[in-house]
Amino acid sequence: MDAGDFHFVMIKPTHYDDDGYPIQWLRSAIPSNTLASLNGLAEAARARKALGDDVRIHLSTYDETNRRIRPEKIAAEIRRKGGKALIALVGVQSNQFPRAVDLARRFMAQGLQTAVGGFHVSGCISMLDEMPEEMVRLQQEGVVYFAGEAEDRRLDMVFRDAWNGELKPLYNFMADLPSLEGEPTPILPSKHIQFTAGSHSSFDLGRGCPYQCSFCTIINVQGRKSRFRSADDLERIIRENYAQGIDRFFITDDNFARNREWEPLFDRLIDLREKEKFDIKFIIQVDTLCHRIENFIEKATRAGVTRVFIGLENINPDNLLAAKKRQNKITEYREMLQKWRSHGATTYAGYIIGFPGDTKESVLRDVEIIKKELPLDLLEFFYLTPLPGSEDHKVLLSKGAWMDPDLNKYDLNHRVTHHPKMSDRDWEEAYRYAWESYYSDDHIETVLRRAAAHKKGRPGNKLFLMMWFRLMVQCEGVHPLEGGYFRLKFRKDRRSGLPVEHPLAFYPRYFWEIAAKHWAYVSSTWRVYRIYKKVKASPDRKAYTDIAIAPMTEASEQDLAMIRETRGGTEAVAKGVRNAALKKAGKDRAKAAASV
C-alpha cells in the first residue's frame, strides 16, 4: 500500500429549526454517544495501523450542535495537508437526514468521498422493502451508506476501500450485529467537551431490547437480542474519560434494568466511588418495573446514579396495550417513583401524546392526574411519531396514510401525521398545553416542596432542571433534549431550497430574538426563584406531604384517579386482585399439603 495521509472526518449533524437554520448552541447539553463510539473505534484502527505502516491516519470530530460545519473550509484544510479523505456523517436520525443531505452534497462538490450512517439509514434498510426516494437520490449522486454497527473492525474495511477509491454504495451489517465486550472505549477528545454544558460525556453498556413497542426504532436497528459490555470495559471507559476531566456520564442504554450484568457493573462503579474516591455521577434509563429487581435501585444510587429516565409513556393501559408496551403496569408507577425518590434520585419520564385512544380532554386530564398523584420530577412530552425504522411507520406506509414528507419534522416535537380522534389543531394544542400545565409556576412549587421535604431532595437541582425544560420549550421552541445555552445562527447556513436572507433582515431580527429571549429567561427565572426561596425558608418544609409522596394502603391506591379514570386502570387493579387471591390460595394449598 502506498505511503501517504488519510483523513477521517466524523460529523454528527444537527437538524433545522422551523425557519431553516441549523439548531446550534454556544454550549450544547451532552456530547454525542455515536460520535464518541466511532471516534474510539477509529482511534483503535489508527493504533493498529489499519492502512499499513506507511499511511498516517488523521481523525477529526465535529458535533454540529455546538460547532459550525463549513464543508468548503474543511476541504481546503484537507487539500493543504494533502492525502485522501473520507467524510462520515454519523448517527444521523430521521430529523437530521435533510441536514446531512445538504452537508453531503457540499462535501461531494469539493471532490470528497462521503458516507452517511445512523438510525435513519439502518432503520429504513431494516424495515422497508425499498429504499426511500430521498435516500436513492443521494446514493445516485455518489454518497455511500453504512447500515448497522462499526465494531468488530469493520472500519478497517471501509478505510481500505476509501483509501483505494473503491467504496461500495452500501455497507449493510444489519444481519450481523457485533458483540460489544472488549471493544474500544467510546471517548471524545477533551477539547470538544468544552463546547458542552460541563464535564459530561455519554456511552452505552448495552444495545438491543427484547420488547416490541410499535413506535420504537431501537428494536429494529439494534435488534431484540441484547448485547453488553463487561465490567472491565466499563472501568476502562470511566478511567480514560476521568483522566481528561470528564466525570458526569449519560449511559444511553435504552433500558439499563434489562442488562443481565447490571449488578457487576454497579459493583465496579461502587468500588471506584467508595474505594478510590472517584467523584462520578450518572444518568440512566430504565423501565417501570426496575424497582422489582432486588437491590437494583439501592445499588444504582450507591454507584452514582443521580438522575433516572423512565419510559412511562402513558398512564392509560389501553394506550399502552395498543402500542404493544405491555410491560408497563400503571399500578406500579407510584411505588417505583417513590422508591427512587427515597434514595435521592431525580426522576424524568417520557410521555407520548397521540395514542389512538387520546383526546385533547383526556390528555389534559391525565397530565393533571400525574401532577397530583405521581412523585415525578420532570416530564418530557413527545408526539407519537411514525419514525422510519419503526413498526408504526411501516404500517402507515403500507396503508398509504398521510405522513409529512419533510423528515426534518420527525423530531418528536412536531406533528407529522393525522390522529383518528383529534383534529390536527386539537392534537397540537394538547401537546402545547401539556407542557404549559406541567411547567406552570404552581406545579414547579409543588415539585420544589416535595423535594424540600426530603433530606435527599435537592430542591435547587430540581429548580434548575425544571426551568431548563420550561425555557427551552417556551423561549427557544425546541425540545429540552436538544437544547443548549445561547442559540447560534449563521445567515448563510440556511437549509437548501430557502433563500439566504439579506443582512438587514437577518441580523436585526436575530439580535432582537437574543434580547427578547434573555429578558424572558431573567424575568421567568427570577419569579420562580422567589418561589424557591419561599419554599426553602418555610419552617415546616420537612412536614410537607401530598397524595403523590404519602404512603398509601392498598384500598386507597385503588381510589386514585389514575386508576379510576380509565377502563384499563380498573381492569388492571381487578386483575391484580385476582392474581393476588390465586397466589394466596396456592400458598394455602401448599401449607395444607405440607401439614398432611
Side-chain angles (χ1 to χ4, degrees), residues 523-551:
S523 58
S524 182
T525 302
W526 173 244
R527 188 174 68 251
V528 177
Y529 181 71
R530 286 187 295 173
I531 296 173
Y532 165 75
K533 295 292 286 184
K534 179 183 71 174
V535 169
K536 286 277 287 184
S538 175
D540 60 345
R541 68 178 195 173
K542 298 295 184 184
Y544 175 82
T545 189
D546 60 26
I547 294 174
I549 62 177

Side-chain angles (χ1 to χ4, degrees), residues 363-512:
V363 167
L364 300 182
R365 175 205 66 196
D366 291 348
V367 171
E368 292 303 315
I369 290 172
I370 292 170
K371 288 163 58 179
K372 183 179 179 181
E373 297 182 354
L374 292 181
L376 186 64
D377 298 317
L378 294 114
L379 194 57
E380 302 173 5
F381 298 100
F382 305 96
Y383 280 103
L384 182 63
T385 302
L387 292 169
S390 69
E391 181 185 339
D392 284 353
H393 177 267
K394 185 174 183 178
V395 169
L396 289 180
L397 194 66
S398 68
K399 292 180 177 179
W402 179 83
M403 291 183 283
D404 199 306
D406 185 3
L407 287 172
N408 190 69
K409 294 180 180 178
Y410 285 67
D411 58 358
L412 313 184
N413 195 39
H414 289 80
R415 179 190 58 78
V416 297
T417 188
H418 300 308
H419 191 271
K421 288 186 177 180
M422 290 186 280
S423 67
D424 294 347
R425 178 177 178 180
D426 279 353
W427 194 1
E428 290 166 358
E429 287 183 349
Y431 179 78
R432 186 171 70 252
Y433 293 165
W435 280 109
E436 292 173 359
S437 173
Y438 195 85
Y439 292 93
S440 65
D441 287 0
D442 287 345
H443 189 59
I444 289 177
E445 180 172 354
T446 297
V447 172
L448 294 178
R449 287 192 179 280
R450 291 171 183 167
H454 194 281
K455 63 181 179 180
K456 298 180 180 179
R458 299 182 299 156
N461 177 259
K462 304 293 191 294
L463 172 69
F464 170 78
L465 293 171
M466 293 196 80
M467 288 307 295
W468 173 277
F469 275 53
R470 180 160 99 171
L471 294 172
M472 287 301 104
V473 173
Q474 290 184 358
C475 298
E476 299 290 354
V478 302
H479 197 281
L481 294 182
E482 59 182 8
Y485 171 70
F486 198 92
R487 176 69 196 279
L488 300 176
K489 288 186 181 182
F490 298 96
R491 185 174 67 91
K492 294 184 178 180
D493 287 355
R494 204 172 191 194
R495 185 177 184 178
S496 64
L498 295 176
V500 175
E501 294 186 280
H502 191 279
L504 293 179
F506 175 82
Y507 289 108
R509 185 176 67 254
Y510 178 41
F511 294 140
W512 169 250

Side-chain angles (χ1 to χ4, degrees), residues 258-309:
R258 296 306 111 191
N259 188 323
R260 62 176 179 268
E261 299 297 319
W262 66 266
E263 193 161 24
L265 294 169
F266 280 156
D267 285 343
R268 190 66 62 92
L269 294 176
I270 290 169
D271 283 347
L272 289 172
R273 281 171 53 83
E274 297 181 357
K275 294 181 180 179
E276 300 194 42
K277 305 303 179 184
F278 275 42
D279 180 17
I280 47 178
K281 294 180 180 177
F282 301 89
I283 305 172
I284 64 171
Q285 302 183 99
V286 297
D287 60 28
T288 58
L289 296 177
C290 60
H291 63 295
R292 286 193 171 190
I293 304 172
E294 187 176 1
N295 290 327
F296 181 86
I297 291 178
E298 290 82 357
K299 287 204 169 185
T301 48
R302 279 185 65 196
V305 173
T306 58
R307 304 182 195 174
V308 56
F309 182 89

Side-chain angles (χ1 to χ4, degrees), residues 105-147:
R105 284 175 172 154
R106 289 170 65 183
F107 280 115
M108 293 287 287
Q110 294 296 317
L112 295 175
Q113 302 175 101
T114 305
V116 177
F119 261 66
H120 183 70
V121 170
S122 297
C124 288
I125 288 174
S126 170
M127 292 295 285
L128 302 181
D129 296 332
E130 296 181 354
M131 195 181 291
E133 184 181 343
E134 70 275 0
M135 286 181 60
V136 172
R137 284 199 303 269
L138 195 63
Q139 190 180 51
Q140 289 172 344
E141 294 172 29
V143 170
V144 170
Y145 290 127
F146 188 99

Side-chain angles (χ1 to χ4, degrees), residues 184-360:
T185 299
I187 194 166
L188 284 171
S190 57
K191 64 181 181 180
H192 293 303
I193 305 303
Q194 64 181 306
F195 296 110
T196 63
S199 54
H200 291 69
S201 192
S202 57
F203 60 86
D204 57 14
L205 290 175
R207 297 177 193 162
C209 179
Y211 296 125
Q212 301 180 34
C213 308
S214 64
F215 53 80
C216 183
T217 59
I218 289 173
I219 54 178
N220 303 313
V221 172
Q222 296 184 346
R224 291 199 170 111
K225 181 181 179 181
S226 298
R227 297 159 288 130
F228 306 111
R229 300 186 196 271
S230 69
D232 288 341
D233 295 331
L234 170 60
E235 182 174 344
R236 187 176 65 252
I237 291 169
I238 298 301
R239 288 188 181 278
E240 291 185 19
N241 279 280
Y242 199 74
Q244 59 177 11
I246 300 169
D247 53 20
R248 301 294 183 266
F249 302 92
F250 175 29
I251 300 177
T252 62
D253 300 29
D254 187 57
N255 186 356
F256 192 84
R258 296 306 111 191
N259 188 323
R260 62 176 179 268
E261 299 297 319
W262 66 266
E263 193 161 24
L265 294 169
F266 280 156
D267 285 343
R268 190 66 62 92
L269 294 176
I270 290 169
D271 283 347
L272 289 172
R273 281 171 53 83
E274 297 181 357
K275 294 181 180 179
E276 300 194 42
K277 305 303 179 184
F278 275 42
D279 180 17
I280 47 178
K281 294 180 180 177
F282 301 89
I283 305 172
I284 64 171
Q285 302 183 99
V286 297
D287 60 28
T288 58
L289 296 177
C290 60
H291 63 295
R292 286 193 171 190
I293 304 172
E294 187 176 1
N295 290 327
F296 181 86
I297 291 178
E298 290 82 357
K299 287 204 169 185
T301 48
R302 279 185 65 196
V305 173
T306 58
R307 304 182 195 174
V308 56
F309 182 89
I310 303 151
L312 202 72
E313 316 306 8
N314 209 267
I315 63 169
N316 188 328
D318 297 331
N319 282 339
L320 295 169
L321 188 63
K324 296 185 179 179
K325 200 169 182 72
R326 300 176 179 89
Q327 67 271 25
N328 276 24
K329 313 295 182 186
I330 69 165
T331 50
E332 305 274 350
Y333 285 1
R334 286 187 76 259
E335 180 185 350
M336 176 267 300
L337 290 167
Q338 285 190 345
K339 192 166 184 179
W340 279 112
R341 178 178 182 271
S342 71
H343 286 79
T346 297
T347 51
Y348 299 65
Y351 198 84
I352 298 174
I353 296 175
F355 283 118
D358 281 341
T359 64
K360 179 180 174 181

Side-chain angles (χ1 to χ4, degrees), residues 581-596:
L582 290 171
K583 188 175 181 180
K584 184 178 183 301
K587 288 182 178 179
D588 291 343
R589 285 194 297 270
K591 284 182 181 179
S595 64
V596 172

